[in-house]
Amino acid sequence: MAAQNENPAKHVGADDIYTQIRRRIVEGHVTPGLTLGEAQLASEYGVSRTPVRNALARLEQDGLFERVRFGYAVPVRSPEQVVELFEARIILDLAAAELAAQRRSELDLARLRHLLEQAEAATGADLIHINDAFHDALRDAAHNPTVAQLASRVDAQLAAYEARPAGTPDDRQTTQDEHRRVFDAVHDRDPARARSELQAHVERARDLRIAALAREDRKT
């Protein structure tokens, strides 16, 4: 199957190829099972096959690609495998919440507060982006780059399976209330409460996704 044409810029630097292909996966432009070939990508980016091959190898190490007969493809994961990824992300995010409550700076709090304020007026895709940014800022507030990097890696693997609507008004308000409670715990430097509040939030999101996976599975 040919890759979707997203018209990447010609003659990009070799160091950017990994980032650009990764972005195409995370943003849903390369769906599970879709094959990308070295020659086609080299032509699109205006480079030789070598930097493309290196980028694809890195993406394979990240779990975003697997080798197939005619190139590389985003893995097709079973519902059980998707749930496993959710569970891994929950573990990492709970660790981040605890650490954030212990290590957050005033700048971290300002960033989290700003995102909460932005979310109040946001809708649709903008709201999804802001809510994701809140979780990223919480990880940054933990001041543990390893936790943040591992969580980002799991996020990328899940991205192809998270074409999410913004949710109902009630669900959006629930999310905002949950984020606010997490923020309050981090602000108060209460690691146990930060972990507990985030756990309630991410487990609710997991359960909603499991229900969606079950509905999709019944359709097949």
Side-chain angles (χ1 to χ4, degrees), residues 4-157:
Q4 296 176 8
N5 183 9
E6 292 300 313
N7 296 319
K10 292 284 188 180
H11 302 290
V12 297
D15 291 342
D16 295 329
I17 295 174
Y18 166 85
T19 300
Q20 292 202 25
I21 297 176
R22 186 180 188 277
R23 183 180 299 120
R24 292 168 74 175
I25 298 170
V26 171
E27 293 179 354
H29 302 310
V30 184
T31 54
L34 193 64
T35 300
L36 297 178
E38 289 179 10
Q40 181 181 358
L41 287 169
S43 175
E44 289 179 1
Y45 288 104
V47 296
S48 70
R49 288 194 185 192
T50 299
V52 170
R53 186 178 301 119
N54 291 338
L56 292 172
R58 288 178 62 192
L59 291 163
E60 183 181 14
Q61 291 177 344
D62 289 346
L64 298 181
F65 272 138
E66 61 184 3
R67 290 177 183 269
V68 294
R69 184 175 180 184
F70 297 109
Y72 288 79
V74 175
V76 177
R77 303 183 193 278
S78 69
E80 290 78 12
Q81 289 172 319
V82 174
V83 171
E84 287 174 7
L85 287 171
F86 267 101
E87 291 173 346
R89 185 166 67 183
I90 288 173
I91 291 168
L92 291 165
D93 278 342
L94 294 184
E98 282 188 306
L99 291 171
Q102 296 167 2
R103 301 176 178 177
R104 93 303 185 272
S105 66
E106 290 302 315
L107 180 58
D108 294 324
L109 290 178
R111 288 169 176 156
L112 289 164
R113 188 182 293 110
H114 177 64
L115 289 165
L116 288 172
E117 292 169 353
Q118 281 189 310
E120 292 294 337
T123 58
D126 288 340
L127 180 59
I128 292 173
H129 175 74
I130 292 168
N131 286 341
D132 288 345
F134 179 87
H135 285 266
D136 289 341
L138 186 64
R139 295 167 185 170
D140 290 341
H143 296 279
N144 185 315
T146 299
V147 169
Q149 289 165 10
L150 288 172
S152 176
R153 192 166 173 175
V154 174
D155 282 347
Q157 291 182 41

